[in-house]
Amino acid sequence: MKLSKFCNKISLILQALWCVVLYFIIEAISRHSIAETWDYMTGKPLVFAYNTAFIFTTMLIVYLFHRRFFWRVVVSVFWLFLGAVNGILLMNRVTPFTGPDLHMLTDGIAIMQKYLPAYGVVIGCIVIGAIVIGLITLFIKGPKYKEKIRYRYVVPLIIVGVLAFGGITQLALEKRVLSNYFGNIAFAYEDYGYPYCLVTTIFNTGISCPRDYSESEINRIQNTEENLPATDEESRPNILFLQLESFFDPTLVNYLEISEDPIPTFRKLMEEYSSGYFKVPSVGAGTANTEFEAITGMSLHYFGPGEYPYKSILKETTCESAPYVLKDLGYSTHAIHNNEANFYGRKTIFPNLGFDTFTSEEYMPEENQKNPLGWVKDSVLTDEILKCLDSTEGPDYVYTISVQGHGDYPEEPILEDPQITVSGAPTEEMNNKWEYYVNQIHEMDQFVNELILALEDYPEDVVLVMYGDHLPTMGLTVEDLENKYLFQTEYVIWDNMGLTKKDENLASYQIAAEVLDRVGIHEGTIYRYHQARRNTKNYQVDLETLQYDLLYGERYAYGGENPYKRTRMRLGLYDVTLDSIRLVSDTDYTYYIQGTNFTPSSQVKLNGEWYDTIYVSPATLVITGTELNDFDRISVVQRSNSSTRKALSKSYDRAVYALYSENPWKLTREPQEN
């Protein structure tokens, strides 16, 4: 009894000490290392103390209840659960658990099935069940605070504690202990702690309403664009964008010694065509954000820290973009990516950006060559780009996203005979990572050369914009780079039209407006703004206001209504057809499925169930082992190549459905499901 009374008197101190232990456990789970967590705690004590104070503040609610011990356990389990979710996610991906991921928590079993092996799901369910039973038991039999709760004192003290924590947060931001801009969200979680970063990505999203936002302010901004010429009605070149994964000039790293120039083609193009440094919104990751800026002309600087618009606002609405603007001028719009269509949710986001077609890895016709890490090599993209250009008679806009240079780069040597050798890094492990990376971008540079050769003689005008989406994940610092800037790669604008060379540094949100300006196109609210106002007074302030209006505000710039409708985007350029099924062996029931435009990702569904399928050619698939009967329902569906094997959305895939009929050998068509 005396011990209980003493503990109640110093409960705030004991609770604070427990929060220190609890937060250490959470970070250890997230970082998968006790040693790294210790280094973080000792290396960034103020950040560690801040996040501990955050957890402590959330635990103040226990003083509103008699069952204080029970509620302390509930709050602790809540934070440990979030830590466990983050730890599991980081075992399978590089992006930590963020605000946009919260919707996944509504289907906990689905999450476990996606990120855990079968035995892990069983263990997870057992642990969750045990926790629930333990909490119920604790609620019934656990200790209670027996004295009267003086709410008139407790409630104000809790409010004071919350307000004090808010003041500490503001002070920490002002003193740069914390940051509200995340160039690399994974690094931000490591630098600023999981609780702070998670809550920031939950509540600090979108673009805040500017103080002077009004219809008259939008009219004023648009009136500053009157000096622009009219769009050239004769100029309709094909406009190609090529976003190269983690591509930059490694000779800019001042400690590296490289046996030969890894990017001779890109360097030569920069000398001969318009080029410069390319400011990007992220470091080491965040491909989709550079992509968003280049397609829409909008700056990520005004969004929430670490926010991916692909995971937030673009899931809800369409957005003005180069595809939408160019479609109004007669362009066909295509996206290409030599990775799965589900990556960054592109298959559901691209229709909100105005793309007509999206060719992902699942729709590329042959088994593509892969690098040692399993990423498809970029050389496959040349044919896919040409197919898009050849698929229409009019002009085309093609946005291509490469993947070969993707990390995480290996610390052990895995290249048998690297063409380029690298030394000079602080450790042998880093030398190995750099050597692998340099040889990958050397192959990407060779792909660029092949693409240029293919486009040089193309019978139509072409403008090709190429750039790296961000620096590689190598732990680079400003001091390591000759250009002294981490948020920067390089770009080049190649053409077969004889455009004048013009060298300048650009941001990724400015590149589309610059290219359209170079070919005489002055359309689109955001692009006209960049063309008229870049490098003028209040350029950034007015850009923020305009972006807010177009995405979150009243859309005064559009007359109050969003003019852009979601496109019914086609996955792949051509329809998959299912023409006939032929029995070739009645001993093991082997069937040849004949059709068109099959790929290695084509898979048969039999009566709604996935069936093992052998890809033979674009015209032939093989299934075996089951006798087909009259009216069996057969479909061919393009399936994701990821380990989760998640099927593409039926609303937009090129699946074909039919009923099997034994006599004669033919198929009875069924309408495609949506």
Side-chain angles (χ1 to χ4, degrees):
M1 183 66 70
K2 291 183 179 180
L3 178 61
S4 176
K5 289 184 177 180
F6 177 73
C7 288
N8 282 327
K9 288 183 179 180
I10 63 168
S11 63
L12 281 173
I13 297 174
L14 294 176
Q15 182 167 292
L17 292 174
W18 166 238
C19 288
V20 172
V21 175
L22 177 62
Y23 179 49
F24 188 93
I25 295 171
I26 292 169
E27 285 294 340
I29 294 172
S30 296
R31 297 168 189 264
H32 306 145
S33 171
I34 294 176
E36 288 185 13
T37 305
W38 179 264
D39 291 341
Y40 159 70
M41 181 180 71
T42 55
K44 294 180 177 289
L46 292 179
V47 176
F48 189 93
Y50 171 84
N51 283 280
T52 300
F54 187 4
I55 295 174
F56 176 82
T57 302
T58 64
M59 206 171 281
L60 288 175
I61 63 168
V62 305
Y63 290 98
L64 296 174
F65 306 97
H66 283 285
R67 299 183 183 275
R68 292 179 179 179
F69 184 76
F70 169 78
W71 286 107
R72 283 194 183 98
V73 172
V74 169
V75 175
S76 300
V77 168
F78 169 76
W79 280 109
L80 286 171
F81 171 74
L82 291 179
V85 170
N86 191 46
I88 292 171
L89 289 182
L90 289 176
M91 292 171 63
N92 297 274
R93 71 185 200 188
V94 297
T95 306
F97 185 69
T98 64
D101 293 319
L102 281 176
H103 71 278
M104 295 194 307
L105 293 182
T106 59
D107 193 353
I109 298 297
I111 294 175
M112 289 193 289
Q113 289 176 336
K114 182 175 182 179
Y115 292 105
L116 290 175
Y119 69 85
V121 174
V122 174
I123 294 173
C125 291
I126 293 173
V127 170
I128 291 173
I131 290 173
V132 171
I133 293 172
L135 288 176
I136 293 173
T137 303
L138 184 62
F139 182 80
I140 297 172
K141 298 185 177 182
K144 292 175 62 176
Y145 180 70
K146 301 191 181 299
E147 296 183 21
K148 182 180 179 180
I149 299 175
R150 300 181 180 181
Y151 289 104
R152 65 178 181 274
Y153 299 121
V154 172
V155 172
L157 286 174
I158 292 175
I159 294 174
V160 169
V162 172
L163 293 176
F165 180 74
I168 292 171
T169 301
Q170 187 61 37
L171 181 63
L173 289 169
E174 291 176 358
K175 298 298 183 181
R176 305 290 180 89
V177 175
L178 302 174
S179 174
N180 55 9
Y181 181 78
F182 301 164
N184 181 307
I185 195 166
F187 294 166
Y189 271 60
E190 293 179 0
D191 292 339
Y192 306 121
Y194 178 46
Y196 167 73
C197 291
L198 175 61
V199 172
T200 299
T201 61
I202 293 173
F203 296 106
N204 189 0
T205 61
I207 303 173
S208 300
C209 181
R211 184 167 48 187
D212 55 354
Y213 174 66
S214 65
E215 185 174 7
S216 60
E217 181 67 8
I218 296 300
N219 290 335
R220 179 195 66 78
I221 292 172
Q222 291 189 296
N223 288 336
T224 62
E225 305 165 8
E226 294 178 349
N227 60 326
L228 287 176
T231 293
D232 184 350
E233 296 299 327
E234 301 298 323
S235 179
R236 295 292 186 273
N238 296 293
I239 299 175
L240 315 182
F241 277 71
L242 174 58
Q243 181 168 287
L244 296 162
E245 173 64 41
S246 301
F247 188 92
F248 95 118
D249 182 1
T251 64
L252 294 174
V253 181
N254 52 37
Y255 59 73
L256 287 183
E257 297 178 9
I258 306 173
S259 62
E260 63 179 82
D261 185 1
I263 55 169
T265 300
F266 200 87
R267 196 179 309 283
K268 185 173 185 292
L269 292 173
M270 289 188 66
E271 294 171 355
E272 298 176 355
Y273 295 89
S274 299
S275 62
Y277 282 116
F278 193 65
K279 183 181 178 183
V280 294
S282 58
V283 179
T287 294
N289 279 350
T290 302
E291 185 178 314
F292 170 80
E293 289 198 343
I295 292 174
T296 66
M298 294 190 181
S299 171
L300 262 295
H301 181 75
Y302 308 114
F303 288 80
E307 182 173 358
Y308 285 83
Y310 278 20
K311 296 182 178 182
S312 55
I313 186 64
L314 285 188
K315 297 177 75 172
E316 304 171 7
T317 182
T318 59
C319 175
E320 180 178 301
S321 65
Y324 276 124
V325 170
L326 292 174
K327 279 164 68 72
D328 290 340
L329 299 176
Y331 278 76
S332 298
T333 59
H334 315 274
I336 301 172
H337 184 35
N338 52 334
N339 197 19
E340 64 174 73
N342 289 311
F343 206 42
Y344 278 117
R346 290 183 175 99
K347 70 179 178 63
T348 56
I349 296 303
F350 279 172
N352 281 344
L353 290 173
F355 284 101
D356 295 323
T357 73
F358 177 26
T359 303
S360 60
E361 181 190 355
E362 294 92 340
Y363 288 86
M364 295 179 181
E366 299 296 339
E367 195 69 49
N368 299 312
Q369 188 177 2
K370 297 185 178 181
N371 68 13
L373 292 185
W375 301 106
V376 176
K377 292 193 174 184
D378 289 345
S379 55
V380 69
L381 297 173
T382 298
D383 285 344
E384 299 303 328
I385 292 171
L386 294 175
K387 286 177 186 177
C388 288
L389 295 177
D390 293 339
S391 67
T392 67
E393 294 183 1
D396 294 282
Y397 169 88
V398 185
Y399 196 95
T400 304
I401 308 132
S402 99
V403 76
Q404 182 171 351
H406 206 290
D408 190 11
Y409 311 111
E411 295 183 350
E412 300 296 327
I414 61 174
L415 300 177
E416 293 184 2
D417 186 21
Q419 180 176 339
I420 301 175
T421 58
V422 178
S423 60
T427 65
E428 190 61 29
E429 290 77 14
M430 285 303 299
N431 276 332
N432 292 331
K433 295 178 74 169
W434 275 111
E435 188 166 276
Y436 174 86
Y437 166 79
V438 165
N439 280 277
Q440 294 308 304
I441 66 166
H442 182 59
E443 290 189 10
M444 294 167 68
D445 186 77
Q446 292 172 337
F447 148 64
V448 168
N449 184 58
E450 294 170 2
L451 178 60
I452 295 297
L453 291 175
L455 293 175
E456 279 181 340
D457 298 325
Y458 198 76
E460 300 173 4
D461 289 344
V462 176
V463 177
L464 171 63
V465 186
M466 296 174 285
Y467 56 86
D469 57 352
H470 52 70
L471 297 189
T473 309
M474 293 291 191
L476 291 167
T477 65
V478 171
E479 290 73 22
D480 296 329
L481 298 172
E482 290 184 10
N483 53 318
K484 303 298 182 184
Y485 196 51
L486 293 173
F487 294 84
Q488 194 168 259
T489 60
E490 292 170 299
Y491 78 92
V492 61
I493 303 174
W494 176 91
D495 69 275
N496 63 359
M497 303 167 52
L499 295 179
T500 303
K501 179 177 171 60
K502 179 183 177 183
D503 293 343
E504 60 180 334
N505 298 337
L506 294 171
S508 50
Y509 59 84
Q510 297 170 332
I511 189 68
E514 175 64 22
V515 172
L516 296 181
D517 187 45
R518 298 291 301 278
V519 299
I521 296 176
H522 307 287
E523 304 293 336
T525 304
I526 203 76
Y527 303 112
R528 286 177 57 84
Y529 177 82
H530 287 306
Q531 291 169 356
R533 293 289 307 279
R534 185 155 57 92
N535 299 325
T536 64
K537 185 178 180 181
N538 295 325
Y539 168 57
Q540 294 292 345
V541 174
D542 288 348
L543 176 60
E544 179 181 10
T545 303
L546 190 59
Q547 288 186 191
Y548 175 82
D549 181 63
L550 300 187
L551 272 184
Y552 298 93
E554 300 298 324
R555 295 187 168 97
Y556 295 126
Y558 298 145
E561 293 185 5
N562 186 350
Y564 301 112
K565 305 302 180 184
R566 181 179 172 91
T567 60
R568 186 168 178 79
M569 185 183 73
R570 174 197 297 269
L571 284 173
L573 282 174
Y574 307 108
D575 284 339
V576 174
T577 67
L578 202 168
D579 299 329
S580 66
I581 298 178
R582 181 163 56 94
L583 178 66
V584 295
S585 172
D586 55 7
T587 57
D588 59 357
Y589 298 111
T590 297
Y591 295 87
Y592 280 7
I593 298 177
Q594 305 295 141
T596 61
N597 301 314
F598 297 149
T599 76
S601 295
S602 298
Q603 190 164 1
V604 170
K605 261 190 170 182
L606 179 59
N607 297 322
E609 299 294 330
W610 293 111
Y611 202 84
D612 287 341
T613 307
I614 300 173
Y615 170 79
V616 177
S617 73
T620 306
L621 302 174
V622 175
I623 60 173
T624 186
T626 297
E627 181 181 9
L628 298 182
N629 299 305
D630 276 356
F631 305 112
D632 275 346
R633 192 169 182 275
I634 299 169
S635 61
V636 176
V637 184
Q638 302 305 104
R639 219 176 169 195
S640 169
N641 295 323
S642 71
S643 58
T644 59
R645 304 297 293 173
K646 183 178 180 182
L648 303 184
S649 167
K650 289 183 180 178
S651 297
Y652 294 96
D653 67 18
R654 310 269 32 101
V656 178
Y657 298 84
L659 292 177
Y660 177 72
S661 177
E662 183 176 359
N663 188 20
W665 296 99
K666 65 180 182 180
L667 297 170
T668 304
R669 301 296 175 193
E670 278 191 344
Q672 179 175 327
E673 287 188 358
N674 287 323

